[in-house]
Amino acid sequence: MLAFSARPLALLAFLALLIAVVNAVHPVKVQGQDFVDTVTGKRVMIIGVDYQPGGQAGYKPQNGEDALTNGTVCLRDAALLQRLGVNTIRVYNVDPTLNHDDCASIFNAVGIYMIIDVNSPLGGESLNRAEPASSYNAGYLSRIFGVVENFKGYPNTLGFFAGNEVMNDVGSSKENPPYIRAIQRDLKNYIAAHSTRTIPVGYSAADVRPILEDTWAYMQCSLTGSISDPTRSDFFGLNSYSWCGADATYQTAGYNDLVTMFANTTLPIFFSEYGCNKPEGVARVFNEVAALYGKDMTGLSGGLVYEYSQEESDYGLVVINGNGTVTLKKDYDNLQGHYNLLDLALLSSTNPSQTTVTPPKCAASLISGSGFSQNFTIPSPPDGADDLIKNGIKDPVNGKLVQVKETNVPMKAYGSNGVEIKGLAIKILPDDQSNAPSNETTSPSGTAAPSPTASKKGAAVRTGTGAWGVFVAVLAAVVVLL
Ligand SMILES: *[C@@H]1O[C@H](CO)[C@@H](O)[C@H](O)[C@H]1NC(C)=O
Ligand SMILES: *[C@@H]1O[C@H](CO)[C@@H](O)[C@H](O)[C@H]1NC(C)=O
Ligand SMILES: *[C@@H]1O[C@H](CO)[C@@H](O)[C@H](O)[C@H]1NC(C)=O
Ligand SMILES: *[C@@H]1O[C@H](CO)[C@@H](O)[C@H](O)[C@H]1NC(C)=O
Ligand SMILES: *[C@@H]1O[C@H](CO)[C@@H](O)[C@H](O)[C@H]1NC(C)=O
């Protein structure tokens, strides 16, 4: 027993590794037109919110900050998003050289997936739609491969957006499409060479009806006729703002047209942004939620509401106050009310007839002829790209899950009526679950009149000691065995 060989150490390391993934969500893959859980095989419907506190200006790589760098802020927002009932966030701008471990681990612990945009508004960090050829270069690829390196290690990374609204009118749809496919190819080849699991890559389209169907047709087709063509999108996001106000319907919002348009899709389609804010000045009622997740639209994979925090563009579900506290808007309450009515069993049942699909072979005839590119000659990787893809980028910063130790939110949060939300904390989900609506109402009832004695603690909150408890028990067992 004193001969302390390397074997128990290796065993310990192995056990530690097992424990490190105890509270990890199951990765998601694409299967036919659905997202599915890689372990249970069940369909994953996106119930999501776009997450960019501070708006585009919140992306400050020069200060070492982006939306996923401050663990305290993520703890606060993850607690409110978990209670809201979402299972996915989309994050638009991340710096691949920063450490996102705390935030990614917190969102993982509460069962929330992340869809990450690989681009940013800074020069050289996205495709320039006015000059796609010159902006598609090795320096740009280095950046987006860095995002892959940074996020590939998190099991809750659901996918990467290779581009967002690059084509936003007929003019920009002439030259850019082949470049989007080239970027998708390079990302997918990089992932295949440097990630232990496949991570889906797709495109987020503007709802510009003259080019929408062409965009989808162009992105989903296969040059070879096979699903494995790397230039093809794995999924298709649509930024959809056609359902406005309390009186809109499935028909007046044109959701019926979308369902018809995408009836034959061979990849998952979801709203990568939705939640029209007209009429102005009133809380959004979110009646579109019932339609989007209802029987008529099960062919789609859900959507992400634009957006978590109130910014200049006036789409917030919550207001982040200057002192770091958060006040829910009525929009949050209304959205939560609709989420609470969803038929979760319907949403997770996958349609077996859709598990194998053959994408259409790319051809000019798939495109309407209204001006959208019919050019399926995809640009070759720029100089230096093959080396990056083969050997990896220099000095990648690889993220990994870390233990989430703090579950209580240190800042105060207030309901839409101004009443403080007591005992705000994240609930670390056991058994690798993802989050789902839980029929709760986060905004407390009552009014915001000062009532210093009314401080009932929040409902039972599961703390994050589960994994450590197991670790200590296993450690004890191993020591006894030795
Ligand atoms: C869907 O596919 C069927 C059979 O291939 C075809 O008849 C139909 O026109 C297609 N629908 C759309 C909207 O493209
Ligand atoms: C923080 O700011 C908000 C909005 O100005 C205010 O309502 C709230 O009382 C402040 N909370 C704390 C703890 O300072
Ligand atoms: C994280 O955000 C909180 C709240 O805004 C702030 O007080 C804190 O200083 C930030 N932490 C870091 C490391 O920037
Ligand atoms: C098609 O796009 C490629 C770049 O991907 C370009 O070299 C070629 O000239 C384009 N063909 C036409 C007919 O525009
Ligand atoms: C949800 O909560 C409401 C009351 O807030 C209750 O009437 C309803 O039965 C609950 N539904 C479920 C599925 O628990």
Side-chain angles (χ1 to χ4, degrees), residues 28-35 46 90 114-117 157-163 180 184 187-188 191 199-205 215-216 219-220 231-238 265-272 301 304:
V28 168
K29 66 174 180 183
V30 168
Q31 182 174 295
Q33 66 166 28
D34 297 334
F35 291 111
I46 293 175
R90 173 188 186 179
M114 307 179 294
I115 306 179
I116 304 291
D117 283 71
T157 298
L158 191 156
F160 294 110
F161 275 122
I180 306 290
Q184 290 180 159
L187 282 168
K188 286 162 77 169
I191 290 166
I199 305 174
V201 172
Y203 177 70
S204 179
T215 308
W216 162 72
M219 293 302 164
Q220 79 150 344
T231 70
R232 180 178 181 265
S233 293
D234 294 319
F235 57 82
F236 187 76
L238 168 61
T265 187
T266 59
L267 42 61
I269 300 179
F270 59 98
F271 288 171
S272 35
S301 295
L304 299 126

Side-chain angles (χ1 to χ4, degrees), residues 44 138 260 329 340 356-357 395 472:
V44 175
T260 307
K329 290 177 69 187
N340 283 343
T356 54
V357 290
D395 305 325
V472 170

Side-chain angles (χ1 to χ4, degrees), residues 1-5 482:
M1 185 164 160
L2 281 176
F4 205 76
S5 76
L482 293 178

Side-chain angles (χ1 to χ4, degrees), residues 81-104:
L81 287 163
Q82 181 177 37
R83 286 192 170 201
L84 176 60
V86 309
N87 63 15
T88 307
I89 55 171
R90 173 188 186 179
V91 183
Y92 292 84
N93 306 303
V94 294
D95 184 310
T97 65
L98 298 177
N99 184 328
H100 302 108
D101 289 350
D102 286 339
C103 284

Side-chain angles (χ1 to χ4, degrees), residues 51-55 58-60 65-71 73-74 77 89-95 98 100 103 107:
Y51 183 67
Q52 54 168 353
Y59 179 59
K60 293 184 207 147
E65 288 170 28
D66 63 36
L68 296 175
T69 49
N70 185 321
V73 167
C74 287
D77 296 341
I89 55 171
R90 173 188 186 179
V91 183
Y92 292 84
N93 306 303
V94 294
D95 184 310
L98 298 177
H100 302 108
C103 284
F107 282 112

